[in-house]
Amino acid sequence: MISFFRSNYIITILVLCTTSNIRFCSSLNDPYAILGITKMATTYEIREAYKELAKKWHPDKVKNDYGAEKFIQIKQAYEILADMDRRRIFDRYGVSDINSQYFQKKHDYSEYNRFTLNQNDDDFGQRFNIKQDIAFYQKLSITTNYFEKIILSKNAKKVHVVMFYNDWCFKCTRIVDAFKKIVELLQPIGINFATVNAVHEESVFRKCGAREVPQLVLILGNQYFLYRDHSFTPQKVVEFIRKKIPFNVFKRIEHDNFNEFLEGWMDNRARALIFEPRSLTRLRYLLTAFEFYDRVAFGFVNTISRESSNIITRFKVNTSLDTLILFNEDTTTFTASICMQEIPTQIMVNMVATNQFLALPRISSQNIMESVCPTEWNRQRKRLCVILITENNKKKDIERVVLRDIALNVGYSSEKVRFAYIFKESQPDFIKAISKGSFKDSLIQIVIIWRRDKKRIKYDWVYVAKQNGNSSPEHLINSTKGQISNAVKKLLKNSEALCYEAIVENLFNEHSQGILTKWISQFLYVVDYLSDNIEDEHILAVFSLLGTIAFMFTVGYVLIYFVRVEEENLKAHGQLIDIQDQRHINFIPELKLYELRAEKYNGMVRLLKPGFRTLLLINDCQSRHKLIPYFHKAVWPYRKSKTLLFGHMVIEKGLPWFSEILRLSLSKNRHLQVNPRNCVGTVLALNGHRKYFCMYHAKHPESALGTKRTLRNTQKLLDANEDPEIGRFLKRDFSEESESEPNILLEDHLLNGLDNWLERLFDGRTQKYYINYWPDFITK
């Protein structure tokens, strides 16, 4: 069934190719012939053939309709053969990629009855709702390299709109007419349009945050804003762009802030006033203000507002037309003006670009240095820049006034000589680089530089002698002007050279944003991004989550409140112990004795951490009630130690294990016969990590060591006979052996020496018995 429909489908294509669509089908059905290669060509050969033909038939070289159509065919053929999947499908079925999508896509076969051979039907593309205007996207298509270097350039202040498309995107073809209309309306007012093939330039597609095609993306100040409105009309797009333009690129001017705006040129920006008979500013004016934001401050005056009547009267503005007025430091007069019904974008850009600098601009960044003092390698066309080295304080204002007056009245062309000033405290590296040859006793520090390239400059200093007596501004202006004029005339000659040369680095950007400002800007961008991307259902989900959390906190607070009320009631009736007493009781240290069993053996012995030990009392069922209380009392002072565990073991259960560790410590291969009754009262200090133990027993020689030492000292006192009364306290007929080793040892006295042994244990004076491993604990 499927093969039948496929054959009918291909027959339909062939019939259409023989009628009105021969040119279109041939361009898609024979890409090998178009590129002049064979079907066995490699990827490298395909790419080289495409490059050669693209250079030959590029529209910039062949300026006719046939050349443009040929170039589109070459590009389409390369797109088919460059993709291995599309090339494989083409070689197999002999159709273009659109057909391969048809073969791969799972269709509802019940709808195949619509596709019949009918001469009255529209052509192949119309039946699939495809328009051949996809070439419009390809004409505006850009590459990743262009996107990175031009659109995302640091100096780019243009507004860019990028449309992401795919050659075989059905939705892209449906909106191509609407996109054409938007381009025709908005491109003349200063918006740059480009298209990107999402398949070929996937990195750009992902970088802009797009997820599907078609997708319109606004790039404004290297930030991406996705157009998500379902209505794709020029009005909606204009509203979207107007909303995304930063609010600080322009300022509403009225009578109250007019003087403050014009006199604010100390921010190193010229002033521009735009008068409009409307409250909503034209988009073209906003785009120009955004483009020149770093150099010109724009103010907008609504001519139909009563608050603007004084401003309109001062400049004699025609209230029915749009007017642009430009100012520099002198606010009493303007440098340029234009009045039209609708100021064209190009005329406005040219006017602002010509007057974007103050008469004496301040060099505050590398970009301003590039604009004010451009580079010129040729000696005959060299450009000189007269720079005043000054300080940022009011005492030095006279120096800037002098040089500004000279700049306004000098007769040199701005293409040859430019005037500027720089703050020495803001650009210390630059001042240090050109310090050679400076005149320390000069009245004003002025240097003339010639930038040969971005790093290398030649310079010479101008000496202004200090005046004796007459120091009026007029005299200072005349003397300084004379010195500068003589130096400039001399240096403009081709035969004259500047005295010094230096290598300088890029200037510090004094207008760069601080960390706090960057954080605020990034936060506002995130808020704006979320407002564009979060839909109603997302907002409802967030509010639902926040409401649930608030409800849980409220219920918890209510429960805690009722618990406190209940506690107060019980305390009032004397049924509740005082909280401080309860805390005191809870914080009494506890001493827990664990019985050593098979299930606790690993935790108490084998898996002990380094530095930890277990004190283990060995008893039997008859003596445990007598020995455990005494053991508990002996180890009680050590209960706060975090490295000790306390336990006891019933010898009837652990006799095999105890016998095994004795055998391992004695290095005996034969089995030991141990009497369980003789083991009662033994205390073991087990170090599980280092595999050794210390042992206490009343009959053990180490345990009786203290008693024997006391007996030896007593014997020495009796033998000395120095004190006649000593015999009354110490018996003379005692035996050391009889005292240290009594014949009968009762259960009540088995742990009498444990206290002394514990002291020696923690002092490190007890014998350590090492074993190779800890044997298994097998309950008998």
Side-chain angles (χ1 to χ4, degrees):
M1 188 70 176
I2 297 175
S3 60
F4 172 77
F5 286 126
R6 285 182 177 175
S7 60
N8 287 343
Y9 194 79
I10 297 174
I11 292 173
T12 304
I13 295 174
L14 295 176
V15 171
L16 293 174
C17 286
T18 58
T19 56
S20 61
N21 292 316
I22 296 177
R23 181 179 299 174
F24 173 75
C25 289
S26 63
S27 65
L28 292 180
N29 287 348
D30 197 9
Y32 294 102
I34 294 175
L35 296 180
I37 57 177
T38 63
K39 291 188 176 182
M40 302 301 294
T42 62
T43 304
Y44 175 80
E45 293 174 348
I46 295 173
R47 184 166 60 250
E48 291 299 319
Y50 168 72
K51 288 181 179 180
E52 183 178 354
L53 291 175
K55 291 179 181 179
K56 180 179 179 181
W57 294 97
H58 197 275
D60 294 340
K61 292 185 178 181
V62 183
K63 298 183 178 180
N64 53 53
D65 295 338
Y66 177 73
E69 185 177 1
K70 182 69 174 178
F71 180 79
I72 294 173
Q73 292 178 358
I74 293 170
K75 190 172 183 179
Q76 289 179 345
Y78 175 73
E79 289 175 353
I80 293 175
L81 300 181
D83 191 330
M84 298 303 296
D85 294 332
R86 295 165 66 182
R87 182 182 179 184
R88 184 183 68 254
I89 295 172
F90 178 84
D91 293 339
R92 180 178 299 177
Y93 299 105
V95 290
S96 61
D97 197 17
I98 184 172
N99 299 324
S100 67
Q101 290 182 0
Y102 170 77
F103 285 128
Q104 293 178 356
K105 186 176 179 181
K106 294 182 179 180
H107 290 283
D108 183 5
Y109 294 102
S110 62
E111 298 179 357
Y112 270 84
N113 55 3
R114 296 184 301 166
F115 303 98
T116 57
L117 287 174
N118 190 343
Q119 296 180 355
N120 297 325
D121 288 344
D122 293 334
D123 58 22
F124 170 79
Q126 292 294 334
R127 206 179 307 136
F128 275 87
N129 202 17
I130 299 175
K131 296 184 179 180
Q132 305 312 319
D133 291 334
I134 195 72
F136 181 74
Y137 291 124
Q138 296 172 347
K139 290 180 181 179
L140 300 176
S141 182
I142 61 174
T143 61
T144 303
N145 188 32
Y146 183 90
F147 182 84
E148 297 287 346
K149 292 185 177 181
I150 304 300
I151 296 182
L152 298 185
S153 174
K154 293 183 179 179
N155 300 328
K157 281 294 182 180
K158 296 283 187 178
V159 177
H160 293 82
V161 175
V162 178
M163 169 66 80
F164 289 95
Y165 74 98
N166 188 355
D167 288 341
W168 308 112
C169 170
F170 295 100
K171 192 175 180 181
C172 299
T173 58
R174 286 198 295 268
I175 66 171
V176 66
D177 290 336
F179 183 64
K180 272 186 180 180
K181 187 176 181 180
I182 292 173
V183 173
E184 293 172 357
L185 291 176
L186 300 185
Q187 197 168 34
I189 67 174
I191 299 178
N192 298 290
F193 285 86
T195 59
V196 176
N197 193 316
V199 176
H200 297 166
E201 312 295 341
E202 188 175 357
S203 60
V204 179
F205 181 70
R206 299 302 178 189
K207 187 172 185 178
C208 293
R211 298 180 180 177
E212 59 182 2
V213 290
Q215 180 63 66
L216 193 71
V217 178
L218 172 66
I219 302 177
L220 202 66
N222 290 348
Q223 292 182 341
Y224 310 104
F225 303 94
L226 274 63
Y227 182 80
R228 298 186 180 278
D229 200 319
H230 298 289
S231 178
F232 198 72
T233 60
Q235 293 78 11
K236 291 291 184 179
V237 175
V238 168
E239 183 181 350
F240 169 71
I241 297 175
R242 183 186 294 273
K243 179 182 176 183
K244 299 305 177 183
I245 293 179
F247 64 91
N248 57 348
V249 300
F250 68 95
K251 188 175 183 179
R252 292 290 178 183
I253 303 300
E254 296 178 350
H255 177 71
D256 298 336
N257 59 353
F258 171 70
N259 292 327
E260 179 185 356
F261 173 76
L262 288 185
E263 295 174 357
W265 52 266
M266 282 302 294
D267 62 356
N268 205 26
R269 296 192 296 169
R271 261 46 188 171
L273 282 178
I274 296 181
F275 296 84
E276 293 181 283
R278 64 189 66 85
S279 57
L280 187 63
T281 306
R282 293 182 186 272
L283 180 60
R284 66 180 64 195
Y285 302 156
L286 294 178
L287 297 175
T288 306
F290 175 77
E291 182 178 352
F292 292 94
Y293 173 74
D294 293 338
R295 303 301 319 126
V296 181
F298 279 79
F300 293 90
V301 181
N302 184 6
T303 57
I304 61 176
S305 174
R306 296 180 180 178
E307 299 294 333
S308 307
S309 58
N310 295 334
I311 306 175
I312 296 171
T313 304
R314 176 177 174 177
F315 296 104
K316 299 178 181 181
V317 176
N318 189 340
T319 57
S320 61
L321 301 177
D322 293 351
T323 304
L324 170 64
I325 303 178
L326 297 169
F327 300 86
N328 55 16
E329 297 95 329
D330 188 5
T331 59
T332 59
T333 182
F334 50 83
T335 57
S337 67
I338 187 173
C339 181
M340 298 179 66
Q341 185 69 34
E342 183 177 323
I343 304 175
T345 301
Q346 193 59 43
I347 295 177
M348 186 176 183
V349 169
N350 293 338
M351 283 189 60
V352 176
T354 306
N355 301 276
Q356 62 177 321
F357 293 106
L358 300 172
L360 186 68
R362 176 166 59 91
I363 300 178
S364 55
S365 66
Q366 186 64 27
N367 292 336
I368 299 178
M369 173 66 85
E370 298 287 345
S371 302
V372 176
C373 304
T375 60
E376 180 56 61
W377 179 262
N378 194 319
R379 183 184 295 272
Q380 297 179 354
R381 297 193 303 268
K382 63 182 175 183
R383 299 179 177 181
L384 300 180
C385 193
V386 182
I387 300 178
L388 169 66
I389 311 298
T390 183
E391 298 177 4
N392 187 14
N393 55 59
K394 293 184 177 180
K395 295 181 180 180
K396 301 294 183 178
D397 286 347
I398 184 64
E399 299 178 358
R400 295 188 283 273
V401 171
V402 169
L403 192 62
R404 185 176 294 111
D405 185 85
I406 295 173
L408 291 172
N409 299 306
V410 75
Y412 298 108
S413 172
S414 60
E415 296 295 327
K416 284 290 186 179
V417 182
R418 297 294 296 268
F419 292 83
Y421 71 97
I422 190 172
F423 288 146
K424 60 172 64 177
E425 62 269 23
S426 301
Q427 307 293 342
D429 295 336
F430 179 80
I431 303 300
K432 184 178 179 180
I434 62 173
S435 60
K436 185 178 180 180
S438 61
F439 300 100
K440 295 184 179 180
D441 57 343
S442 179
L443 183 61
I444 303 177
Q445 297 289 326
I446 297 177
V447 62
I448 301 177
I449 69 171
W450 169 30
R451 297 183 67 236
R452 305 194 67 183
D453 55 32
K454 292 184 178 180
K455 297 293 184 181
R456 185 178 303 172
I457 66 171
K458 286 193 172 185
Y459 64 96
D460 202 353
W461 290 88
V462 178
Y463 178 74
V464 180
K466 295 182 179 180
Q467 305 296 321
N468 295 326
N470 190 1
S471 59
S472 62
E474 293 79 7
H475 185 79
L476 182 60
I477 290 173
N478 292 331
S479 60
T480 306
K481 183 178 180 180
Q483 296 290 342
I484 294 175
S485 298
N486 294 334
V488 171
K489 287 181 181 179
K490 177 183 176 182
L491 296 175
L492 282 177
K493 296 179 181 179
N494 297 333
S495 59
E496 294 293 333
L498 284 81
C499 299
Y500 307 102
E501 186 173 359
I503 304 297
V504 296
E505 300 296 333
N506 291 339
L507 297 181
F508 171 72
N509 187 4
E510 301 176 21
H511 308 287
S512 59
Q513 294 181 341
I515 297 178
L516 181 60
T517 307
K518 289 182 179 179
W519 285 354
I520 295 175
S521 301
Q522 191 67 22
F523 174 75
L524 294 177
Y525 173 71
V526 171
V527 171
D528 190 54
Y529 177 81
L530 293 177
S531 64
D532 289 341
N533 290 273
I534 294 179
E535 299 180 357
D536 294 340
E537 55 268 21
H538 299 153
I539 296 176
L540 293 176
V542 171
F543 277 115
S544 176
L545 177 62
L546 295 178
T548 303
I549 295 174
F551 175 76
M552 294 173 62
F553 275 104
T554 304
V555 172
Y557 176 79
V558 172
L559 293 176
I560 293 174
Y561 173 77
F562 282 116
V563 170
R564 290 179 179 176
V565 171
E566 185 67 20
E567 289 180 352
E568 291 178 358
N569 293 334
L570 295 175
K571 188 183 295 184
H573 292 83
Q575 299 178 6
L576 188 66
I577 303 176
D578 188 67
I579 297 177
Q580 297 296 333
D581 296 339
Q582 184 68 27
R583 290 179 179 177
H584 178 71
I585 294 173
N586 293 337
F587 284 115
I588 294 177
E590 296 182 356
L591 176 61
K592 295 183 178 179
L593 295 180
Y594 302 95
E595 183 179 355
L596 183 63
R597 299 178 181 176
E599 60 270 18
K600 296 182 180 180
Y601 177 64
N602 288 334
M604 295 180 65
V605 179
R606 279 182 171 174
L607 301 181
L608 284 179
K609 296 180 180 180
F612 282 70
R613 286 182 288 186
T614 299
L615 296 181
L616 185 67
L617 170 65
I618 298 178
N619 52 48
D620 57 6
C621 296
Q622 292 78 19
S623 62
R624 61 187 304 176
H625 300 291
K626 295 181 180 180
L627 296 180
I628 289 179
Y630 191 90
F631 177 74
H632 187 277
K633 181 180 178 181
V635 299
W636 175 261
Y638 308 101
R639 68 190 183 280
K640 296 182 180 180
S641 176
K642 296 181 180 180
T643 61
L644 293 178
L645 289 177
F646 306 97
H648 63 93
M649 181 187 72
V650 179
I651 190 62
E652 288 84 356
K653 298 180 180 180
L655 181 60
W657 173 80
F658 184 60
S659 302
E660 184 64 15
I661 65 170
L662 291 178
R663 186 188 68 80
L664 293 174
S665 63
L666 296 175
S667 299
K668 298 291 185 180
N669 294 328
R670 60 185 180 84
H671 181 71
L672 297 180
Q673 296 293 333
V674 179
N675 187 355
R677 288 294 300 169
N678 293 336
C679 300
V680 175
T682 303
V683 177
L684 300 177
L686 306 173
N687 191 319
H689 179 71
R690 299 185 61 184
K691 295 183 180 61
Y692 73 81
F693 65 91
C694 301
M695 185 171 63
Y696 163 83
H697 191 272
K699 289 287 188 176
H700 195 274
E702 184 182 358
S703 304
L705 184 60
T707 305
K708 292 181 178 181
R709 185 181 296 109
T710 303
L711 294 175
R712 285 196 295 271
N713 293 335
T714 303
Q715 185 64 39
K716 290 180 180 179
L717 290 174
L718 291 174
D719 295 341
N721 293 326
E722 296 178 357
D723 188 355
E725 299 294 331
I726 194 171
R728 297 183 179 182
F729 180 72
L730 298 175
K731 297 182 180 180
R732 294 183 178 274
D733 54 350
F734 78 96
S735 173
E736 182 178 339
E737 289 75 9
S738 62
E739 291 293 335
S740 60
E741 295 182 3
N743 295 328
I744 300 175
L745 189 62
L746 301 178
E747 290 182 354
D748 297 338
H749 304 290
L750 287 175
L751 299 179
N752 287 347
L754 181 59
D755 295 334
N756 295 330
W757 182 81
L758 289 175
E759 293 180 3
R760 295 198 304 276
L761 173 68
F762 295 119
D763 291 341
R765 294 183 285 117
T766 57
Q767 178 67 33
K768 298 177 182 178
Y769 301 96
Y770 287 90
I771 58 178
N772 294 330
Y773 63 93
W774 291 108
D776 295 333
F777 190 90
I778 302 174
T779 303
K780 185 177 178 181

